[in-house]
Amino acid sequence: MSLPRFPIAFLTLLLIALLAGCSERTLDTPVTLEGDIFGTFYQVSIADPITAERRDALEDGILDELESVDASMSTYRDDAELVAFNHAPLGEWHTLSAPLIKVLSIAHQVGEASGGAFDVTVGGLVNLWSFGPEARPRAIPEDELIEQRLAEVGMDTLELDVEANRARRLKDVFVDLSGVAKGYATDRVAAYLADQGIDDYLVNIGGELEVAGHRDGEAEPWRIGVEIPHDGRPQAKFVLPLENISVATSGDYRNYFEQDGRRYSHTIDPRTGRPIRHRLASVTVVDASNARADAWATAMSVLGEDEGMVLARQHDLAVLMLVRNDAGDGWWSQASPSFAARFGRDRLEEMGIRVADGSGDAAGVDAEASDALE
C-alpha cells in the first residue's frame, strides 16, 4: 500500500500553519524576562496572558527603554549624555534631553526637602572613596583631598532651566545620578508596559520595584520581601503585599570596604564628604514614583534613623527603617505613620514593626527575637 503524496505547496502551508499556531499559544504565567543592566540586574514578571511572539516584542521594548536610560544617565559610558554634561564648559548652558532634565529636577526637589542629604553633585567624593567609575584603590582618602572635593559639592553649583531643557555647572562638580537613575528606569519600564496594554506586572531593577495589577492576573497581590542584613548576608524577613505602587530600598550592607576593623559604606554624606556613620542599616520607601522613592531612600540613609524619621513624618513619606542595636548584635525596625496607613498597623505589629508616631517610644523589636515570618 502506498502512502498518499501531498504537493510541496500544501506541506509548506501546513508547516506555516503549525508554526503560527505555536507562536499564538498563550504562555504559562507569570512570564519572566531578565538580564543585566547598569552593573546590576533587571527582572520583569508579566501575569497577563501573552504569546511567545508578544513576549519577544515586549522584551525588545524593555531593552530599548533600559538602553535609553543608560545612554543618558550612566557615568560609566564615555558616550553617555551625562558624561558629556560633566565635561561641558563651566558656566555655559548645556541642552539636555527631557528625561535627564526630569531626573535632575527630581533630584533637586529631594535635595532641597532633605536639607542637602541627597545631592547629585557628590560624584567627585563618591569617586574619591572608590565607589565610582574612577575605580581607585579602596583606601581612606587624605583629609585634604576630602575637603577639596567637599568644597565643590552643593546643589547650588548646578543650575536648571526646566522649561528650556537645559542646565549648567557653576563649579567643576561631577554629577552622579546613581541614587535616582535606577528608580527612573523602573518607572520607564513600568510606563512602557502600561502603554503596551499590560495590566499585571512587576518590574525589578537592582532591587527597585514597581508593580501593577495582580500576580495571578485576578486577585492575588504581588509580594516582596524586605531584606535584613544577617551575618553579613541579606535575608528576606518582612513580606509585604503590593498593588499599583513602587518601592525603593537603600542599604549600607551591600557595597562597602573595611580597613583597620572599620567598615566604610558606599553611601557618602554630601554634608561631610565621608561615608555615613550611624546605626541605620536599610531604608525602604514606598511611593507612586520609583525615582522619587529611590532618591528619598538615599537621603534617609544619609540622615540616619532619628533625623530621617522626623523628615518622613513631615513630608508624609511611607518609610520602613531597619536599625542596628548599639551592641551590633541585632537590629530593630520602625515605620512611619504613612507606611502603617498603607499596610495596616495590625500587620506591622504581627511582624514586630513599631510605628514612629512622634511619641518617642518606637524602640522597635530585636530581630533575633521576632520569628513572625520564619
Side-chain angles (χ1 to χ4, degrees):
M1 183 179 66
S2 62
L3 295 175
R5 295 183 178 180
F6 297 99
I8 293 177
F10 173 79
L11 292 175
T12 301
L13 290 172
L14 180 62
L15 179 59
I16 292 173
L18 289 173
L19 291 174
C22 290
S23 66
E24 293 173 1
R25 185 179 301 122
T26 300
L27 301 173
D28 293 336
T29 57
V31 176
T32 300
L33 309 172
E34 55 191 350
D36 298 323
I37 194 71
F38 310 145
T40 183
F41 68 92
Y42 74 88
Q43 185 178 73
V44 177
S45 297
I46 300 172
D48 286 25
I50 59 174
T51 63
E53 184 178 11
R54 177 77 164 138
R55 174 202 59 198
D56 293 345
L58 289 171
E59 185 167 30
D60 288 343
I62 289 168
L63 289 174
D64 286 345
E65 295 293 332
L66 294 174
E67 168 62 20
S68 175
V69 175
D70 195 44
S72 176
M73 304 176 196
S74 174
T75 55
Y76 291 84
R77 294 176 49 160
D78 292 338
D79 62 342
E81 182 183 12
L82 182 59
V83 170
F85 176 65
N86 277 326
H87 288 98
L90 298 182
E92 293 186 12
W93 289 104
H94 193 78
T95 300
L96 300 175
S97 65
L100 184 51
I101 281 290
K102 180 177 181 178
V103 171
L104 287 171
S105 179
I106 292 171
H108 185 77
Q109 292 167 12
V110 175
E112 283 195 334
S114 65
F118 183 76
D119 190 336
V120 296
T121 69
V122 76
L125 285 163
V126 173
N127 294 337
L128 185 63
W129 283 93
S130 314
F131 295 113
E134 288 182 11
R136 300 168 62 96
R138 293 195 167 185
I140 301 172
E142 298 291 335
D143 288 345
E144 182 179 352
L145 284 175
I146 295 174
E147 295 303 322
Q148 178 182 333
R149 294 207 181 183
L150 183 61
E152 300 171 348
V153 171
M155 288 301 293
D156 59 346
T157 66
L158 180 63
E159 191 172 352
L160 304 180
D161 183 351
V162 177
E163 296 298 325
N165 277 0
R166 62 180 188 166
R168 60 180 176 178
R169 298 177 306 137
L170 303 180
K171 290 185 179 181
D172 192 18
V173 293
F174 183 89
V175 178
D176 183 343
L177 298 177
S178 58
V180 64
K182 274 197 309 178
Y184 175 72
T186 304
D187 286 333
R188 279 278 294 268
V189 172
Y192 166 76
L193 292 172
D195 288 343
Q196 296 301 307
I198 302 298
D199 297 320
D200 306 284
Y201 58 79
L202 181 150
V203 178
N204 182 356
I205 302 181
E208 316 300 10
L209 306 165
E210 190 155 341
V211 306
H214 303 87
R215 66 195 302 257
D216 61 354
E218 295 181 2
E220 183 69 20
W222 297 98
R223 298 181 184 275
I224 67 160
V226 178
E227 289 184 347
I228 61 168
H230 183 76
D231 294 333
R233 295 179 303 172
Q235 298 179 350
K237 180 71 175 181
F238 302 132
V239 178
L240 301 171
L242 298 178
E243 292 185 34
N244 303 315
I245 200 66
S246 65
V247 179
T249 298
S250 177
D252 72 349
Y253 50 87
R254 285 185 178 273
N255 192 4
Y256 61 90
F257 71 90
E258 294 184 351
Q259 184 168 320
D260 299 327
R262 179 180 166 187
R263 183 168 68 172
Y264 294 85
S265 169
H266 76 288
T267 302
I268 306 298
D269 188 336
R271 303 167 301 180
T272 66
R274 292 165 170 79
I276 55 175
R277 293 188 62 185
H278 49 59
R279 302 178 302 168
L280 184 56
S282 78
V283 183
T284 297
V285 178
V286 180
D287 194 89
S289 160
N290 204 287
R292 211 173 87 93
D294 195 6
W296 268 116
T298 302
M300 294 287 168
S301 292
V302 169
L303 292 168
E305 67 274 18
D306 295 328
E307 191 178 355
M309 190 55 73
V310 169
L311 211 58
R313 293 198 301 268
Q314 289 177 351
H315 292 276
D316 198 27
L317 300 173
V319 174
L320 172 65
M321 295 181 173
L322 303 183
V323 187
R324 293 185 180 87
N325 289 337
D326 289 332
D329 57 355
W331 53 270
W332 50 274
S333 56
Q334 64 173 351
S336 67
S338 291
F339 192 92
R342 172 170 290 277
F343 295 102
R345 285 179 178 256
D346 290 344
R347 183 192 299 273
L348 299 189
E349 184 176 344
E350 289 175 2
M351 293 189 288
I353 301 172
R354 301 287 183 86
V355 179
D357 57 6
S359 62
D361 61 352
V365 178
D366 190 311
E368 302 302 327
S370 175
D371 299 320
L373 291 173
E374 292 186 336

